[in-house]
Amino acid sequence: MRRSKIFRQTGPGLAVAAVLAGMGMPVANAAGLEGTWMGRDDFTWALSGYVRAWASMNLEDQPELSRVGKDSFGKLSMLRGSLLLDLDVKTGPVKWKAIGRLDREYKTNYLSDLEELRDSVANNFNVASPGGKSITENYNNADIREFWAEVPIGERVTVKFGKQQLVWGESDFFQAMDLVHGYDFSWRLFFEGENEEWRKPLILLSTKIRIPEANGLLAAYIRPGWDRCEDIGNTYDINGGRWFFQPYRGFDLSSGTSKNCDHKDGDQDDVTGGIRWQGEAYGLNYSIAYLTTFAADPVASAGIAPGGLGGVAHQGVTNNELLFQRIHPKIDVLGVTVSGYSESLDAVLSAEMAFTKDQPFNAGVGGFNEGNYITRGGGLCTAGLGLCEIVKKDTLRVMLRADKDLNFQDLLGTSRPSFSSIQLFNTQILNYDGDEQIVRLFAYGTPANQHNTILTMFTGLNYKNDTINPGLAVGFDLTNGGGFAIPSVSVVFDDKWVAKAEADIFWDGGKSNRLQFSGGESQLFGYFSRASQLVLRVTRQF
């Protein structure tokens, strides 16, 4: 029996994280039950958690359903509930943690419409249908989120082993260095505030070594390769659900493709790991890190030549029953962060830079059967949609951020200064060559730009001792157009009940496909076109 199988059976089955923190949202895992075991002080435990419910409503009609004569505007897109239990135990010097979460969704009329469209699309394309599976299987989940033990070794060293999360980096939105884990974007692609709820924990052996003589901390981890396939890389709603990118809602991409976690360029059983130095010098906090991990977003490797159109299987790995395979090749990342307080600006300034070696991209621009791409093997591929082959390019991602408390007390009557932040992100493809026909994401034939620059800003207002907290977050794609705006308000009723209402508003800057498999101009916010919505979230903490 492979070692990984044992661990895969232990449990069944791009976010603005700082927005909610800036709005005064309390931590979800509030203190609950606690005590000792039979009066022993060396055996203590605490149980906390939450029960949470979401409801969201579409604010726009969507072209996928409009083409079949159905409306989307005003329909409930999500009715979801979650139960999370967080158990902390201490046995002498050893700390134990176990977190489990159960997620369930109600099939709204809107989801039923997408499910019906998904079945009809499968028939039209003569591919395997979802086999009668409910569309809510995209979103229902039950899992052990974390299960680890942490042991101190002397006064300077701690070692942690088990299913856990590691957070490396400074950026809160488009992660530059926070690449140890993938994220689960399947049930909500934007703006769920707590990153630890989206991040997919992994089985790791990690350590921290405090070195006070150098004002620093050395951290390192090894991932032995015992995780499940679904734990690798980012997960998107590709099964035809509410958060598949426009115009693919109602199209089940998994029907003719599969995720291959045994590919020789991205084998889940391969050992990965990283090392990070974090310190202080000259009034600045800084870190230097290296890690080898899996590319977060999947790329498509031809399983067979797409329609006989000459697609090249990555490193020769094929599957003759599939149009293509989704893989997460391994990458190497070297990153640096620095932050410090500026007296002249009365703000905290931060910067983060990550160099990625051999970031994988799909190649082949244009719509399906409309491309014209010469593969590196010399063949002609007309598949388009990035399905011709995988090209690896080095990339450089840079983040600049300023955090500042703004005094709105006199102007807006807030009860304290308002935490605000502005962040600028730029991703550059090094040695960029337009003739390589790199696309931004498979299923779209839109060429990737050498630079992609995003600007985000947010501020949170606080009233009545932080019990009423309005906020506003906005973002702009400075390279391609499009963006988002999120007005919101959170209300803290007491130490147990919290509610938050928001509007997620998107615009595409005229860069959005309306027709599946076409060679349109979709860029980042084209994926979110016609997806604006209202969202209500209520949490009962214990």
Side-chain angles (χ1 to χ4, degrees):
M1 178 182 294
R2 296 169 66 183
R3 294 172 301 170
S4 55
K5 186 176 181 180
I6 299 173
F7 285 87
R8 291 170 198 162
Q9 294 174 344
T10 58
L14 280 151
V16 187
V19 173
L20 295 183
M23 296 174 189
M25 284 287 285
V27 177
N29 295 341
L33 303 173
E34 60 183 18
T36 62
W37 179 257
M38 300 182 66
R40 292 174 52 184
D41 292 336
D42 62 345
F43 192 118
T44 60
W45 62 275
L47 178 65
S48 59
Y50 64 72
V51 177
R52 180 171 290 164
W54 293 260
S56 65
M57 182 180 71
N58 293 323
L59 294 179
E60 298 176 275
D61 281 321
Q62 297 168 358
E64 295 94 333
L65 289 172
S66 296
R67 284 194 293 271
V68 294
K70 294 186 177 182
D71 296 330
S72 307
F73 176 79
K75 288 189 174 181
L76 288 174
S77 60
M78 177 173 63
L79 284 176
R80 181 180 180 88
S82 291
L83 168 66
L84 182 139
L85 297 177
D86 185 341
L87 176 64
D88 290 286
V89 175
K90 187 173 183 181
T91 56
V94 182
K95 295 180 181 179
W96 303 81
K97 165 81 79 173
I99 300 176
R101 194 180 71 199
L102 175 69
D103 307 308
R104 287 295 181 266
E105 290 221 10
Y106 173 77
K107 188 189 294 183
T108 66
N109 289 337
Y110 170 72
L111 289 182
S112 294
D113 289 343
L114 289 180
E115 185 176 81
E116 183 179 331
L117 180 60
R118 186 181 65 174
D119 293 339
S120 65
V121 169
N123 292 332
N124 291 339
F125 281 86
N126 194 29
V127 296
S129 73
K133 292 183 179 180
S134 172
I135 198 168
T136 55
E137 291 193 19
N138 289 12
Y139 315 115
N140 291 340
N141 189 46
D143 202 5
I144 296 175
R145 296 280 299 156
E146 297 189 40
F147 186 59
W148 51 259
E150 184 179 70
V151 182
I153 301 176
E155 297 182 353
R156 298 190 177 199
V157 181
T158 57
V159 176
K160 182 190 294 186
F161 178 72
K163 196 172 186 180
Q164 58 186 281
Q165 298 187 36
L166 290 180
V167 184
W168 287 2
E170 293 284 344
S171 56
D172 299 311
F173 188 23
F174 296 100
Q175 287 80 17
M177 274 301 298
D178 191 12
L179 298 174
V180 178
H181 307 268
Y183 284 76
D184 182 4
F185 297 120
S186 61
W187 65 276
R188 193 173 184 212
L189 187 55
F190 237 53
F191 308 129
E192 191 66 17
E194 299 86 358
N195 272 358
E196 66 272 13
E197 300 286 0
W198 290 23
R199 197 178 288 113
K200 298 196 289 188
L202 297 170
I203 298 168
L204 308 173
L205 175 65
S206 62
T207 184
K208 294 180 180 179
I209 305 172
R210 288 165 287 279
I211 307 176
E213 295 86 352
N215 293 323
L217 175 72
L218 184 66
Y221 77 94
I222 294 176
R223 176 191 161 274
W226 298 345
D227 303 289
R228 304 166 299 180
C229 182
E230 56 262 39
D231 296 327
I232 304 300
N234 292 338
T235 300
Y236 293 98
D237 192 7
I238 66 170
N239 300 99
R242 60 175 174 256
W243 279 114
F244 204 174
F245 305 147
Q246 185 182 272
Y248 293 102
R249 301 179 191 101
F251 180 80
D252 183 16
L253 184 64
S254 67
S255 60
T257 72
S258 72
K259 182 176 180 177
N260 184 356
C261 292
D262 296 318
H263 195 284
K264 60 184 179 181
D265 197 25
D267 190 337
Q268 69 188 47
D269 295 329
D270 287 349
V271 176
T272 57
I275 187 168
R276 182 190 191 211
W277 169 261
Q278 181 179 359
E280 298 180 16
Y282 305 104
L284 300 175
N285 298 310
Y286 71 95
S287 70
I288 303 172
Y290 165 80
L291 65 152
T292 179
T293 185
F294 297 96
D297 287 336
V299 286
S301 173
I304 56 176
L309 302 176
V312 176
H314 186 55
Q315 296 187 351
V317 178
T318 61
N319 184 322
N320 291 328
E321 297 179 357
L322 299 172
L323 179 62
F324 63 83
Q325 303 171 83
R326 306 185 309 276
I327 65 175
H328 296 267
K330 285 195 296 185
I331 56 176
D332 294 294
V333 184
L334 178 64
V336 178
T337 70
V338 61
S339 64
Y341 175 71
S342 169
E343 291 187 4
S344 60
L345 298 176
D346 188 24
V348 176
L349 305 181
S350 305
E352 182 172 2
M353 181 176 65
F355 169 80
T356 300
K357 179 68 175 176
D358 290 336
Q359 177 72 37
F361 293 90
N362 278 111
V365 303
F368 188 67
N369 200 16
E370 295 177 355
N372 186 9
Y373 178 80
I374 303 296
T375 70
R376 283 174 292 179
L380 176 66
C381 174
T382 60
L385 299 181
L387 299 179
C388 289
E389 66 177 329
I390 292 173
V391 174
K392 292 190 174 184
K393 305 290 289 186
D394 297 341
T395 65
L396 184 66
R397 175 166 286 187
V398 177
M399 183 279 297
L400 303 175
R401 186 179 73 200
D403 299 331
K404 182 177 176 64
D405 287 332
L406 299 179
N407 295 315
F408 290 141
Q409 293 97 315
D410 294 336
L411 179 64
L412 300 176
T414 56
S415 57
R416 64 177 176 88
S418 301
F419 179 75
S420 305
S421 182
I422 181 170
Q423 304 181 56
L424 183 71
F425 306 84
N426 183 73
T427 301
Q428 179 184 3
I429 301 175
L430 303 178
N431 298 316
Y432 178 84
D433 184 350
D435 292 338
E436 291 180 308
Q437 294 193 16
I438 293 172
V439 301
R440 187 152 189 179
L441 188 70
F442 67 82
Y444 294 89
T446 307
N449 297 301
Q450 181 178 9
H451 290 269
N452 285 285
T453 306
I454 305 291
L455 177 68
T456 68
M457 297 175 284
F458 66 82
T459 190
L461 308 178
N462 309 98
Y463 294 91
K464 298 187 67 173
N465 296 319
D466 290 0
T467 59
I468 301 176
N469 306 289
L472 176 65
V474 294
F476 305 92
D477 186 336
L478 302 182
T479 302
N480 305 292
F484 66 87
I486 313 173
S488 65
V489 60
S490 67
V491 180
V492 180
F493 296 100
D494 52 36
D495 60 354
K496 297 179 179 178
W497 287 96
V498 182
K500 178 174 179 286
E502 70 180 43
D504 300 336
I505 301 169
F506 305 98
W507 59 93
D508 58 31
K511 301 290 183 65
S512 176
N513 289 13
R514 293 288 192 266
L515 185 64
Q516 293 177 356
F517 312 111
S518 67
E521 297 181 331
S522 272
Q523 293 288 347
L524 176 60
F525 290 105
Y527 306 161
F528 299 93
S529 184
R530 314 295 295 178
S532 298
Q533 59 185 281
L534 290 174
V535 184
L536 174 65
R537 189 180 87 168
V538 179
T539 302
R540 169 54 161 90
Q541 304 171 132
F542 59 86

